Amino acid sequence: MDSTGVPHVLEHTVLCGSQKYPCRDPFFKMLNRSLSTFMNAFTASDYTLYPFSTQNPKDFQNLLSVYLDATFFPCLRELDFWQEGWRLEHEDPSDPHTPLIFKGVVFNEMKGVFTDNERIFSQHLQNRLLPDHTYSVVSGGDPLCIPELTWEQLKQFHATHYHPSNARFFTYGSLPLEQHLRQVHDEALSKFQKIDTHTAVPTQKPWDRPREFQITCGPDAFAADPSRQTMVSVAFLLPDITDTFEAFTLSLLSSLLITGPNSPFYKALIESGLGTDFSPDVGYNGYTREAYFSVGLQGLSEKDVQTVRSLVDRTIDEVIEKGFEDDRIEALLHKLEVQMKHQSPSFGLTLTSYIASCWNHDGDPVELLKLGNQLTQFRQCLKENPKFLQEKVKQYFKNNQHKLTLSMKPDDKYHEKQAQMEAETLKQKVDSLSLEDKRRVYEKGLELRAQQSKPQDASCLPALKVSDIEPVMPVTELDVALAAGGTPVQYCAQPTNGMVYFRAFSSLHTLPEELKPYVPLFCSVLTRLGCGIFDYRELAQQIELKTGGMSVSPSVLPDAAHLDTYEQGVLFSSLCLDRNLPDMMHLWSEIFNNPCFEEEEHFRVLVKMSAQELANGIPGSGHLYASVRAGRTLTVAEMADVRPVLRKLPRIKKHLLSGDNLRCAVNATPQQMAQAERAVGDFVSSLGRSKKEQRPARPHVVEKPASGSPGSSMHVHGPQIVRKLVTDPTFEPCQMKTHFLLPFPVNYVGECVRTVPYTDPDHASLKVLARLMTAKFLHTEVREKGGAYGGGAKLSPSGLFTFYSYRDPHSTETLQAFGRAVDWAKSGKFTQQDVDEAKLSVFSAVDAPVAPSDKGLDHFLHGLTYEMRQAHREQLFAVSHDRLVAVSSRYLGVGKSTHGLAVLGPENAKIAKDPSWIVR
């Protein structure tokens, strides 16, 4: 009922020790004592979800036991609260001039969340549309309110809400249900008496007239046009989400209104040229007790806000009058059919998320899952009343007085004002403390630091052993055949549930260097510009009617055996119901042979949308982001005349969309393979080829068979797939330290070190070392002591060893922690138990479930054979204490390998004074 973030702080705190498992941080400890394929916790607006998954029955019981005990019987000692909520640092408690600084994981997480203008907008939209109860506050916590939370409030909230009477349990999978039920009863339910929790969320009182608000945010450093940074959205309150069929209908209606270039709001708003993209959270939102729908634009001039409001009203009137074309409704129902058949490794977790909100408000979860029934009922309603959808639009959008118009504009002093309010809040806190209070807080801080520095005894926690891991990996049978003109096609027969998955990879080694920066843009617009007889609207319609989506993405694939050898290319991916395979392959033929690069206005719209998506992605993924990635698209978005860029696209097409440098892959059921072979053969036959061989743009291109030497792989039948790898013998890596100045109150820190490729035995040791350093050193230093939301080390398949932190109040201190982590590893101050736990953690990723649609992709894309992967598996088993010490000395020490450092975040006095840093 307030914005102190109490449920969010509890989400972090309950996983920090319990009655049965009284060690600090069992959650993070279990990441290394388990073969879990997923472990996390999420705080939504009105519930907290604690999901985990594993393929090992013993592991499932272990994790369930830890989660149950943590949730219902946590050790909510005051110290635990300080540890995961925030802590106070003070040089001298008696000195009134030294400020007390609140720090904490949740505090810094939420400061990071609210650097994202889209999140600020979405939060306000919900708060103001549903102002009468819990949805009017920030469940994750407002950084200005989080310091108000007391330990007593935290304990009281736990006692009220964390009771089995207020809980729901969801399991999915092939393990016996009875065992789960018995364990949940024995370890949790049987220890409580049923109570009336009084946690129901009441319905929102409907308004008698529409409302409007304007809010502010920080300026967007990446905005293509600084004068167009306003957002506006019009939102409508919809019925209770427990009315399953009405919710299903309104969700479909929302898709018809906003999805794709044929939708009314796309035509009216996106193609108006007023903004760059839809406003955040556009469409149907069914995560609150009553759903809502919102639509609007971002990237606007402030003067155009009223125009957008008028366009929304006019579009609603037009839909009521004209309705929707039958083909658009069919395309949407086809999309649902594809979603019901497509299998992903996280299917069970997706179902959990899908039913959680409705079930939380006592809706029927089983009814919700019967999509087939809802689909039948929907078709029946349309048949009986052709104006069924138009009447819904009139009821919920035209005649709905519970309508909110929210606009947001940038304020240059926004971040300054936030920092000032935070400083004032902290000053008030400090001023209210007596000298005795300060001394007590200071002593608590020392006690906490001592606790954090103590070695942890995790022996109370259950654990799997390395011997529980399967020594041999399962075999995936692959067939390779040559289609017309010698194009290799890999076939992988899998239980795909009546779906066919097609991929093609086209090498870029002949593309001139000056065109390469435009390849990501080429990929993002290729399937959205029209082709052959279809304009862009008709192509979008065909893609929706005949496929589950067609995507094109640039890829740089490392070589498994050499650090500076890689394959540059573009990956084409699509899926369809088996009956639509010939149609899907015909669409690819048209896109490859007759793409349309003349639609200048629509191209400009697509570029603006791409640039907006790139800019919006930075606050959420700062630790992953290379700012140069966004550079080219943002530059094009600013151009008044885009024709010079459009003229580059046919030149890229000539090198990319031909049969010359192509290989294909199909995953389908055995019964579909003959049809797949015919359809792919027709596609390949339709492609043009160069009369003479095109010369590589780079002088050094290595041709490499995917399966090593001929006949080396006993599980790939038929001819070989040959990869065209680029190498540069003159390449010299250089050390760079770059600080990207961004208007964020937190930092994203990264340090990369070049090591060795996948097939080198040291690669396995470095992979285990990354997990070991994360769990045994960096987690404590960067998250627990430093207050960052996350941090650790990881090794990429290409051999880059990366230290990282995100939503981090520190930068240079974190880089020093990375250095200490290397010294710790070189000193060998870790046990055999630590090594075994790191191996378990690595194998949980190595053996994560792979969807039938993705089997064989390692071979197709990266040239990894069964033998190479099994050899790597054996190298992982063989990693020892001595090897870990050896590789940390050999690769990670100063002067051993080339290091690259980057910090994304606010100004930093230390970095500014250091001439070895480049500030951008």
Side-chain angles (χ1 to χ4, degrees):
M1 296 307 293
D2 58 45
S3 293
T4 60
V6 57
H8 191 186
V9 175
L10 257 178
E11 174 213 311
H12 287 255
T13 310
V14 300
L15 293 169
C16 287
S18 63
Q19 287 179 14
K20 194 168 168 186
Y21 305 112
C23 82
R24 194 174 79 234
D25 234 346
F27 174 77
F28 279 95
K29 297 284 185 291
M30 286 305 291
L31 286 173
N32 305 300
R33 301 169 72 85
S34 147
L35 288 171
S36 69
T37 51
F38 190 90
M39 277 180 73
N40 214 328
F42 306 111
T43 296
S45 295
D46 50 17
Y47 64 85
T48 302
L49 186 66
Y50 292 91
F52 67 87
S53 62
T54 176
Q55 298 176 97
N56 182 297
K58 180 166 178 258
D59 198 25
F60 185 88
Q61 288 178 21
N62 290 349
L63 288 167
L64 181 56
S65 185
V66 170
Y67 266 77
L68 285 172
D69 207 62
T71 309
F72 294 116
F73 310 103
C75 299
L76 289 181
R77 298 186 308 274
E78 191 167 1
L79 192 63
D80 290 315
F81 172 56
W82 280 105
Q83 173 209 332
E84 274 288 334
W86 41 81
R87 63 193 177 85
L88 294 134
E89 282 183 352
H90 203 305
E91 297 305 318
D92 176 1
S94 62
D95 176 4
H97 302 295
T98 310
L100 287 163
I101 306 166
F102 281 82
K103 291 188 175 177
V105 172
V106 170
F107 186 59
N108 288 312
E109 178 185 352
M110 295 313 293
K111 278 177 80 168
V113 163
F114 289 122
T115 57
D116 180 348
N117 287 346
E118 290 201 311
R119 287 294 294 270
I120 294 171
F121 189 84
S122 301
Q123 185 68 57
H124 276 276
L125 190 76
Q126 178 179 299
N127 294 161
R128 290 168 191 272
L129 189 67
L130 293 152
D132 293 354
H133 200 257
T134 186
Y135 303 124
S136 65
V137 299
V138 185
S139 60
D142 181 331
L144 294 173
C145 303
I146 290 172
E148 299 298 322
L149 179 59
T150 66
W151 178 51
E152 283 74 19
Q153 276 176 280
L154 185 90
K155 281 210 307 180
Q156 184 54 47
F157 192 92
H158 183 273
T160 310
H161 294 80
Y162 278 61
H163 189 285
S165 304
N166 195 46
R168 289 163 175 81
F169 299 85
F170 180 106
T171 65
Y172 173 92
S174 57
L175 304 180
L177 175 64
E178 290 74 15
Q179 168 60 36
H180 308 338
L181 294 176
R182 189 175 299 114
Q183 192 174 346
V184 168
H185 177 267
D186 292 350
E187 296 183 21
L189 305 189
S190 62
K191 299 179 180 179
F192 290 86
Q193 295 296 313
K194 189 166 174 23
I195 60 166
D196 194 345
T197 54
H198 303 292
T199 55
V201 178
T203 54
Q204 168 66 44
K205 188 171 181 284
W207 300 342
D208 52 10
R209 65 169 63 92
R211 299 180 185 180
E212 59 183 272
F213 294 95
Q214 186 178 65
I215 57 171
T216 58
C217 62
D220 179 0
F222 292 90
D225 180 349
S227 69
R228 298 175 59 170
Q229 294 190 46
T230 297
M231 294 182 192
V232 64
S233 194
V234 180
F236 302 87
L237 191 67
L238 299 177
D240 199 310
I241 58 172
T242 59
D243 184 342
T244 307
F245 181 64
E246 199 72 352
F248 177 81
T249 301
L250 288 168
S251 176
L252 287 188
L253 180 56
S254 167
S255 294
L256 286 168
L257 288 168
I258 59 160
T259 304
N262 295 301
S263 64
F265 280 120
Y266 187 101
K267 290 176 185 173
L269 297 180
I270 299 292
E271 292 182 355
S272 69
L274 293 169
T276 51
D277 202 350
F278 279 128
S279 51
D281 256 9
V282 65
Y284 180 83
N285 186 312
Y287 296 110
T288 47
R289 171 163 179 182
E290 285 145 299
Y292 55 92
F293 172 89
S294 72
V295 66
L297 281 177
Q298 57 184 311
L300 280 175
S301 292
E302 195 180 350
K303 63 180 173 51
D304 291 328
V305 166
Q306 186 54 48
T307 313
V308 173
R309 293 175 64 172
S310 303
L311 279 173
V312 169
D313 291 342
R314 196 183 317 153
T315 307
I316 288 168
D317 287 339
E318 284 173 10
V319 171
I320 292 168
E321 187 189 336
K322 296 176 186 169
F324 302 98
E325 295 161 10
D326 289 346
D327 259 7
R328 290 217 55 231
I329 296 172
E330 275 312 311
L332 188 61
L333 299 181
H334 166 260
K335 187 176 173 183
L336 264 178
E337 190 181 350
V338 169
Q339 286 171 349
M340 285 157 69
K341 282 178 173 281
H342 173 67
Q343 302 165 72
S344 76
S346 58
F347 188 73
L349 289 169
T350 306
L351 286 186
T352 312
S353 304
Y354 178 64
I355 70 166
S357 294
C358 178
W359 197 15
N360 186 44
H361 298 293
D362 293 327
D364 184 341
V366 178
E367 205 53 48
L368 197 65
L369 293 175
K370 293 178 179 171
L371 283 176
N373 293 5
Q374 291 164 38
L375 209 53
T376 306
Q377 192 178 343
F378 180 78
R379 284 190 185 277
Q380 188 63 31
C381 289
L382 276 179
K383 192 176 166 189
E384 289 170 6
N385 176 9
K387 294 202 165 183
F388 173 64
L389 289 173
Q390 284 143 281
E391 287 171 9
K392 295 291 179 196
V393 173
K394 191 172 183 180
Q395 178 185 355
Y396 292 120
F397 303 133
K398 176 77 175 170
N399 299 336
N400 187 350
Q401 291 303 302
H402 202 113
K403 172 183 176 183
L404 169 73
T405 304
L406 180 69
S407 59
M408 181 170 83
K409 64 175 187 176
D411 173 359
D412 289 341
K413 296 215 159 39
Y414 178 83
H415 294 298
E416 202 179 299
K417 289 174 185 170
Q418 290 292 113
Q420 195 178 340
M421 285 192 285
E422 188 182 311
E424 283 170 10
T425 303
L426 297 181
K427 184 177 184 304
Q428 286 169 8
K429 279 264 167 218
V430 174
D431 291 348
S432 70
L433 297 174
S434 68
L435 196 59
E436 184 50 42
D437 291 335
K438 289 181 183 178
R439 183 165 280 113
R440 196 174 67 82
V441 167
Y442 178 61
E443 283 163 4
K444 277 278 178 208
L446 292 178
E447 191 185 339
L448 169 62
R449 184 165 285 178
Q451 283 273 25
Q452 287 173 329
S453 302
K454 260 191 213 167
Q456 281 294 297
D457 177 15
S459 59
C460 61
L461 290 169
L464 292 182
K465 301 185 180 69
V466 174
S467 57
D468 291 324
I469 302 168
E470 290 291 332
V472 178
M473 54 188 284
V475 172
T476 300
E477 297 284 346
L478 303 171
D479 289 290
V480 177
L482 295 180
T487 299
V489 185
Q490 173 182 296
Y491 296 96
C492 182
Q494 290 289 321
T496 56
N497 203 20
M499 301 290 296
V500 180
Y501 298 85
F502 170 78
R503 277 132 181 143
F505 188 88
S506 185
S507 171
L508 277 174
H509 70 281
T510 65
L511 188 73
E513 285 296 311
E514 79 270 12
L515 292 177
K516 282 189 181 166
Y518 295 92
V519 169
L521 194 55
F522 178 91
C523 293
S524 74
V525 302
L526 182 62
T527 58
R528 300 197 283 173
L529 277 178
C531 63
I533 60 167
F534 304 120
D535 66 19
Y536 69 90
R537 292 192 203 283
E538 291 162 341
L539 178 59
Q541 184 86 315
Q542 287 300 310
I543 288 173
E544 286 189 343
L545 273 170
K546 302 298 183 185
T547 81
M550 301 175 81
S551 68
V552 185
S553 54
S555 300
V556 178
L557 306 174
D559 180 37
H562 301 95
L563 266 194
D564 297 320
T565 305
Y566 53 90
E567 188 176 26
Q568 283 182 323
V570 167
L571 179 64
F572 305 85
S573 306
S574 64
L575 65 155
C576 67
L577 300 166
D578 54 6
R579 65 174 185 262
N580 292 328
L581 180 58
D583 294 318
M584 181 174 81
M585 297 316 300
H586 176 67
L587 285 174
W588 277 125
S589 293
E590 290 293 286
I591 289 166
F592 268 64
N593 292 315
N594 307 302
C596 176
F597 297 130
E598 285 82 52
E599 292 170 342
E600 184 184 332
E601 274 314 300
H602 190 57
F603 175 68
R604 187 190 299 277
V605 167
L606 294 176
V607 169
K608 282 183 180 176
M609 289 175 80
S610 279
Q612 188 69 57
E613 282 165 19
L614 284 166
N616 290 346
I618 292 169
S621 309
H623 62 301
L624 304 173
Y625 229 92
S627 290
V628 289
R629 166 118 189 264
R632 184 65 56 176
T633 305
L634 293 173
T635 308
V636 175
E638 290 169 13
M639 293 169 70
D641 184 3
V642 294
R643 279 173 296 186
V645 180
L646 258 177
R647 286 197 288 270
K648 294 184 191 317
L649 302 188
R651 293 176 60 202
I652 296 174
K653 179 249 178 209
K654 199 171 71 177
H655 290 269
L656 198 59
L657 305 183
S658 73
D660 291 334
N661 303 311
L662 197 70
R663 62 180 185 268
C664 303
V666 175
N667 285 33
T669 63
Q671 297 87 337
Q672 291 155 354
M673 280 306 180
Q675 183 201 9
E677 207 161 335
R678 282 194 301 277
V680 174
D682 291 346
F683 161 69
V684 172
S685 299
S686 76
L687 300 180
R689 291 176 183 272
S690 302
K691 301 220 170 27
K692 56 180 185 183
E693 189 172 347
Q694 292 176 307
R695 286 216 311 268
R698 291 271 188 94
H700 300 282
V701 172
V702 181
E703 293 203 353
K704 187 169 184 181
S707 49
S709 56
S712 72
S713 174
M714 55 188 173
H715 305 292
V716 182
H717 313 288
Q720 292 175 340
I721 287 175
V722 177
R723 300 166 74 219
K724 306 270 178 68
L725 301 168
V726 177
T727 185
D728 184 353
T730 60
F731 173 72
E732 281 293 328
C734 62
Q735 178 146 321
M736 277 186 76
K737 295 159 78 174
T738 313
H739 181 200
F740 295 96
L741 278 179
L742 292 171
F744 298 163
V746 286
N747 297 279
Y748 300 87
V749 184
E751 179 172 357
C752 289
V753 187
R754 282 163 54 86
T755 62
V756 288
Y758 180 85
T759 53
D760 190 302
D762 281 353
H763 189 93
S765 297
L766 287 158
K767 199 185 256 188
V768 174
L769 181 67
R771 282 306 314 160
L772 179 75
M773 288 170 113
T774 299
K776 300 298 173 185
F777 191 89
L778 289 167
H779 176 73
T780 302
E781 295 296 313
V782 175
R783 181 173 160 117
E784 288 184 358
K785 292 184 183 177
Y789 179 50
K794 58 187 177 184
L795 182 70
S796 75
S798 64
L800 272 185
F801 193 99
T802 303
F803 298 96
Y804 65 92
S805 74
Y806 54 101
R807 293 180 182 162
D808 189 344
H810 303 296
S811 54
T812 49
E813 298 88 339
T814 297
L815 288 168
Q816 288 166 0
F818 295 163
R820 292 197 304 277
V822 174
D823 294 338
W824 172 84
K826 282 159 66 178
S827 72
K829 290 179 184 165
F830 47 88
T831 64
Q832 185 57 44
Q833 170 78 15
D834 296 337
V835 177
D836 288 348
E837 288 181 6
K839 285 185 187 181
L840 278 169
S841 183
V842 166
F843 273 107
S844 74
V846 169
D847 290 344
V850 177
S853 55
D854 294 340
K855 290 277 175 78
L857 275 193
D858 274 355
H859 178 263
F860 175 70
L861 291 176
H862 302 278
L864 294 183
T865 63
Y866 176 84
E867 290 78 8
M868 289 159 80
R869 292 170 64 216
Q870 182 59 33
H872 179 67
R873 188 180 193 82
E874 285 157 18
Q875 288 158 3
L876 286 171
F877 277 116
V879 170
S880 64
H881 186 286
D882 292 349
R883 285 189 190 180
L884 292 170
V885 172
V887 293
S888 50
S889 298
R890 190 175 304 147
Y891 301 105
L892 303 184
V894 178
K896 297 289 186 184
S897 303
T898 311
H899 289 234
L901 279 69
V903 173
L904 283 76
E907 289 186 10
N908 184 296
K910 283 185 191 167
I911 290 178
K913 287 183 200 155
D914 184 342
S916 67
W917 282 85
I918 297 164
V919 179
R920 291 175 64 174

